[in-house]
Amino acid sequence: MKKARRTIIYSLLLIVPLTLCNVLYLEKVLASSSTDQAISLQTIIDQLDTGDSVELPPGTYTGPAIIDKKLSIRGNSKVTLLNQSRKPAISILSDGVHLQDIQIKHTASGDDSPAIQVKADQVILENLTIQTSGYGIMVRDADRGILQNNTIKWFKPEADMPKQKGNGIDLYNSHDTQIKNNKITGLRDAIYLEKSRNAWVQKNKLSHTRYGIHCMYIDGSSVIDNEGEYNITGAMVMGVKNVVVSGNSFRKQSQNVHSQGILLYDVQSSSITQNVVEGNRVGIYMEQSSKNLLSNNAVLRNFIGIQLLNSNHNQFRSNEFIANVIEAEATDSEKNEMTGNYWDSFQGLDLNDDGTSDIPYAINPFYQRLVSQTPAYQLFFQSPGMTFLSDMFTNGRDHWSKDPSPLMKSDIYHISSVESKKGSDDVLIIGLFLLCCAISIIIYLGVLRR
Amino acid sequence: MADMIQVARREIKMGFRNPWAYSFLLLFCAFSLSLLVINSQHIVQGYSGVTGSMLNLILYLLPLMTLFLGSFSLTAEKEEGSWQLLSTYPIGTLSFIVGKYIGLSIVLLTIVAFGYGLMGFISGLIGTSFDATTYFLFIVFSCGLVLLFLTLALLVGSLSKNRWQALTVSVSIWFFAVIGWPTILISALGLMPYVWIKPVLVALTFINPAELVRLFVVIKLGGGSILGPEYYQWVQWIQRSSGSWLFTAVCVLWIGFSIIVVYRIWERGRSHG
């Protein structure tokens, strides 16, 4: 018996390293064979003339490649471009280049290089699937580009810190660019726009990034119908004028201590309308911004609905604040015009039946002031005692931010993204079980016992 | 051990023959059902306005209920003379105290279970979207409150001479722990050097069961980020399973420590007559 066991152990000791060696060897062979068969994309490009369009046959190609003439290159789901160098997988230096349907794997690690670098105007990139360990698409000094239906992911599966990653789509000094229907996940900033006027960012899906959309100095741009989830901040809009942020939904940005749905910093004369911010740490955060219009936004189930700091002369119209833990906080922001918003925790009184309350809704700044002086007191967030204390400090009420005509009823019924209907069956069963337990304890240990 | 079980069983029997228990049971049920009706429009999941206000309302009711039922049970022993009678039997004071604690916790947890059971059952019937994890966390929250405040109740009951005294002390403890807590702390900590505020605040939170349990549940509901960067590491830690262990350990310490204190008080009273 003992002998048999020993034989098994010895044979195992022998087999395991052998199999490991085998696997490693096979992987090496496969890797070398795949690069052996792979064709350099640059040689194909070199054979083409300006204005040519080519459809790549299925297979694996290698980068880096530089496109310095107007070309149209199309792949399909079986065309893969591998790039292990520290240069961009594809650099586009000529105007009017059109790339589509290519899978790009840009794997040089510890590097800032992008999978695709664009330095020319009117470039179209569509249906590309990019896995990168640096940046995704980097656009520099290139106007009127179109980036659409692309998917950009972080290459390594493990969770790196956002600092170590690159941005998904990164624009600098590139005006009139259209960024539509892209899916970006796991990078630093999904879409980063800097010094780029009139950008059009529409219907992108952004998740697990630092900032879903990060805008700096992009006057006249539009951010429309985008969806963001599980980012640190959904949209960070900073230093802009005349921007439209509309129809976006930002949900579940609540994990980080700095999370927000929409962050507006130094935003002037812009319109923020019809957005849905749900389940974030702060729904809409606004600082040093003025002359903006915020209307018809739905602010749902956030820890703090809206937070205003040093922001004046903005208009807040017909927004809905529902089921937020604290719906609004405002300091040094009393000169805003708030009309007809719906605040669900507010009990109004409508004597003349016009649908709006005759009692104004006022935002108590006590808690926000307290924690800005001593951040340690954030431990008291919405503790019953804190609510009690805030309610006692009502002096200076005339200087609070106020909505003089809050709506009595919510207009729209918002369908929530959370699918927790299935949970109610579990609750029913647990509830029934608890109820039966309680009743039997009461009867057998209490009432019937002598 | 047998004595302890005997005391606990007697306590349960007395507890369910006490009209107070049923009035609190009714109050708690009416209350949880009203919460359900208010929130029938909303999804009850995670940390939101809905769950936040539910937490606060429970925080008002349960500690008060526990303090009353717990402390009255002990003062009744003194007032009705049953402790004097029990003292003549060979029954250990510790068995008596632990038995009392176990019996009272079963009575109170039964009331909580009944309330939540009814709430869960009805919410399941009418199809409110009540997330199972959130429901479970609420039960944990309520049980934690009951178990911790029960130790305070036993202390109050031991130190009070009669029910009136127990009532007065209970209400003041409840007010101090639940409502006055931030006011008192903010004013007291304001006198301290700035760098002391956070450590003292954290230390004091561990001795207030209401805050301790509330913060644990807020963090477990996913609301930890609202406490700000100051508490980032605490929050990260409590969100993992290590946090649950810490919480359980703190509760057990709390219960153990106060049972020892209560035991000392009763033992002294017994030997001094």
Side-chain angles (χ1 to χ4, degrees):
Chain A
M1 188 63 197
K2 217 172 189 182
K3 207 173 178 187
R5 200 184 290 165
R6 202 179 286 166
T7 329
I8 291 172
I9 291 171
Y10 280 134
S11 48
L12 269 179
L13 279 175
L14 207 70
I15 290 168
V16 169
L18 271 179
T19 353
L20 260 177
C21 286
N22 245 343
V23 169
L24 287 175
Y25 176 74
L26 266 178
E27 271 191 353
K28 216 173 193 177
V29 168
L30 279 177
S32 64
S33 69
S34 65
T35 30
D36 282 346
Q37 288 166 5
I39 313 144
S40 161
L41 185 64
Q42 190 67 53
T43 48
I44 297 173
I45 291 167
D46 290 343
Q47 288 160 8
L48 295 169
D49 293 322
T50 304
D52 278 359
S53 68
V54 64
E55 184 167 345
L56 297 172
T60 307
Y61 299 81
T62 55
I66 296 171
I67 305 178
D68 51 2
K69 52 199 155 195
K70 187 183 173 189
L71 292 177
S72 167
I73 301 176
R74 167 198 276 270
N76 57 42
S77 59
K78 288 175 186 156
V79 171
T80 308
L81 174 67
L82 287 177
N83 181 40
Q84 291 166 335
S85 79
R86 296 196 160 204
K87 291 175 184 160
I90 300 176
S91 305
I92 299 172
L93 305 178
S94 173
D95 292 353
V97 170
H98 186 174
L99 286 185
Q100 61 179 339
D101 295 314
I102 303 174
Q103 332 285 316
I104 300 171
K105 289 183 180 165
H106 178 67
T107 60
S109 61
D111 196 42
D112 286 353
S113 65
I116 299 181
Q117 187 171 44
V118 180
K119 287 185 168 178
D121 297 344
Q122 288 168 308
V123 169
I124 301 174
L125 305 175
E126 57 187 339
N127 299 325
L128 304 174
T129 305
I130 298 173
Q131 282 184 300
T132 178
S133 54
Y135 281 65
I137 301 173
M138 192 185 262
V139 185
R140 293 286 179 270
D141 308 307
D143 298 343
R144 297 181 298 285
I146 297 174
L147 316 173
Q148 60 187 5
N149 305 323
N150 302 297
T151 305
I152 305 177
K153 280 185 206 155
W154 184 240
F155 184 71
K156 290 181 230 163
E158 78 265 27
D160 286 292
M161 294 293 287
K163 269 189 280 187
Q164 297 158 337
K165 301 176 180 178
N167 299 326
I169 294 176
D170 185 307
L171 256 69
Y172 185 85
N173 197 25
S174 303
H175 310 299
D176 305 293
T177 308
Q178 292 184 39
I179 302 170
K180 292 189 289 195
N181 298 318
N182 300 291
K183 275 187 200 161
I184 303 173
T185 179
L187 283 104
R188 184 169 61 194
D189 295 352
I191 299 176
Y192 178 86
L193 313 167
E194 188 176 346
K195 287 196 179 163
S196 301
R197 283 191 308 276
N198 305 328
W200 185 270
V201 182
Q202 191 181 18
K203 288 192 177 168
N204 299 289
K205 288 190 175 155
L206 321 158
S207 63
H208 301 282
T209 65
R210 184 182 67 170
Y211 299 135
I213 300 170
H214 188 170
C215 311
M216 314 251 285
Y217 319 112
I218 51 152
D219 298 349
S221 296
S222 303
V223 176
I224 294 171
D225 300 338
N226 299 288
E227 287 175 27
E229 272 188 1
Y230 299 110
N231 304 291
I232 291 180
T233 287
M236 147 92 163
V237 185
M238 189 170 157
V240 300
K241 276 180 199 150
N242 302 319
V243 164
V244 175
V245 178
S246 171
N248 302 290
S249 72
F250 293 108
R251 295 186 158 104
K252 299 172 201 153
Q253 269 80 222
S254 67
Q255 294 301 309
N256 193 281
V257 290
H258 302 293
S259 287
Q260 285 102 2
I262 299 176
L263 188 156
L264 307 166
Y265 184 90
D266 186 20
V267 174
Q268 320 293 338
S269 314
S270 297
S271 86
I272 293 96
T273 56
Q274 291 170 329
N275 300 291
V276 178
V277 280
E278 183 180 352
N280 305 292
R281 191 187 71 98
V282 177
I284 300 176
Y285 178 90
M286 196 176 197
E287 188 173 346
Q288 293 185 25
S289 301
S290 61
K291 296 178 192 156
N292 301 297
L293 169 71
L294 284 90
S295 72
N296 300 91
N297 298 294
V299 182
L300 318 169
R301 299 174 1 100
N302 304 286
F303 303 162
I304 298 176
I306 188 167
Q307 205 168 13
L308 306 175
L309 204 67
N310 281 320
S311 296
N312 286 297
H313 309 291
N314 300 292
Q315 291 184 332
F316 295 86
R317 280 191 215 140
S318 312
N319 300 294
E320 295 190 339
F321 297 85
I322 296 170
N324 301 290
V325 180
I326 288 185
E327 43 198 16
E329 285 187 349
T331 35
D332 302 319
S333 310
E334 59 270 12
K335 290 174 195 144
N336 293 303
E337 188 193 321
M338 294 187 174
T339 44
N341 300 293
Y342 176 70
W343 314 85
D344 76 333
S345 70
F346 173 69
Q347 299 299 318
L349 183 66
D350 186 11
L351 290 173
N352 52 7
D353 277 338
D354 61 349
T356 60
S357 165
D358 302 325
I359 309 172
Y361 172 84
I363 302 171
N364 189 331
F366 178 79
Y367 174 75
Q368 201 179 359
R369 279 200 192 134
L370 180 80
V371 300
S372 69
Q373 280 163 12
T374 319
Y377 292 145
Q378 287 178 85
L379 213 53
F380 294 139
F381 181 81
Q382 203 60 0
S383 104
M386 195 65 226
T387 330
F388 174 76
L389 186 61
S390 304
D391 289 345
M392 287 199 298
F393 279 81
T394 49
N395 54 334
R397 198 183 163 91
D398 298 340
H399 300 293
W400 292 1
S401 301
K402 260 186 228 159
D403 186 344
S405 54
L407 282 187
M408 295 295 290
K409 267 196 277 184
S410 154
D411 294 346
I412 321 152
Y413 181 70
H414 286 283
I415 301 155
S416 170
S417 70
V418 189
E419 312 89 5
S420 69
K421 281 278 177 193
K422 58 180 185 295
S424 51
D425 288 342
D426 300 343
V427 172
L428 181 105
I429 294 162
I430 302 169
L432 201 60
F433 173 72
L434 284 177
L435 201 60
C436 294
C437 284
I439 291 172
S440 46
I441 287 176
I442 292 174
I443 291 174
Y444 289 109
L445 291 177
V447 180
L448 289 183
R449 207 176 130 81
R450 287 164 190 251
Chain B
M1 194 67 189
D3 295 343
M4 201 168 80
I5 294 170
Q6 210 56 39
V7 174
R9 289 191 131 182
R10 173 171 159 269
E11 193 59 43
I12 298 169
K13 189 178 75 182
M14 306 268 282
F16 289 119
R17 296 195 178 164
N18 179 0
W20 275 88
Y22 292 102
S23 58
F24 272 120
L25 179 77
L26 277 181
L27 189 62
F28 189 64
C29 289
F31 177 78
S32 49
L33 289 184
S34 330
L35 284 179
L36 195 69
V37 171
I38 295 172
N39 296 322
S40 60
Q41 298 295 313
H42 298 296
I43 292 159
V44 188
Q45 188 187 37
Y47 188 49
S48 69
V50 178
T51 48
S53 55
M54 279 168 85
L55 282 183
N56 280 3
L57 289 171
I58 292 166
L59 214 48
Y60 284 123
L61 181 68
L62 274 185
L64 201 61
M65 174 178 111
T66 311
L67 282 168
F68 282 176
L69 288 181
S71 62
F72 287 5
S73 160
L74 278 191
T75 49
E77 297 281 348
K78 294 185 199 170
E79 284 185 284
E80 288 160 10
S82 52
W83 170 238
Q84 276 86 342
L85 183 65
L86 274 177
S87 296
T88 62
Y89 287 87
I91 177 175
T93 311
L94 192 64
S95 313
F96 173 71
I97 298 295
V98 175
K100 273 277 189 191
Y101 183 82
I102 293 173
L104 279 169
S105 355
I106 290 174
V107 172
L108 288 163
L109 293 181
T110 307
I111 294 176
V112 169
F114 192 93
Y116 276 104
L118 196 66
M119 183 183 186
F121 181 61
I122 292 180
S123 93
L125 281 187
I126 60 175
T128 315
S129 16
F130 204 140
D131 177 56
T133 320
T134 310
Y135 180 67
F136 175 71
L137 273 174
F138 266 94
I139 295 172
V140 170
F141 171 66
S142 308
C143 294
L145 276 180
V146 163
L147 291 178
L148 292 186
F149 270 94
L150 189 57
T151 62
L152 282 179
L154 291 190
L155 264 178
V156 173
S158 313
L159 294 172
S160 312
K161 288 197 181 66
N162 52 41
R163 281 177 211 205
W164 285 111
Q165 214 174 12
L167 178 85
T168 324
V169 178
S170 294
V171 171
S172 42
I173 285 183
W174 172 80
F175 185 84
F176 176 79
V178 176
I179 297 185
W181 183 254
T183 315
I184 294 162
L185 252 59
I186 289 167
S187 57
L189 293 175
L191 306 172
M192 287 191 178
Y194 187 82
V195 284
W196 289 18
I197 292 180
K198 192 190 146 194
V200 174
L201 192 60
V202 171
L204 288 176
T205 301
F206 278 99
I207 66 158
N208 181 348
E211 280 295 285
L212 184 70
V213 181
R214 184 184 72 88
L215 285 170
F216 175 73
V217 173
V218 165
I219 292 171
K220 284 286 180 188
L221 279 173
S225 64
I226 200 61
L227 305 176
E230 296 270 317
Y231 302 101
Y232 181 69
Q233 277 167 345
W234 277 103
V235 168
Q236 287 285 310
W237 205 62
I238 291 171
Q239 265 172 348
R240 291 198 290 269
S241 57
S242 55
S244 309
W245 289 112
L246 173 81
F247 180 71
T248 319
V250 171
C251 290
V252 169
L253 267 181
W254 244 97
I255 294 165
F257 180 72
S258 29
I259 282 181
I260 288 170
V261 173
V262 172
Y263 162 71
R264 285 272 164 90
I265 295 169
W266 283 74
E267 185 66 27
R268 213 176 56 183
R270 193 172 183 173
S271 55
H272 289 269

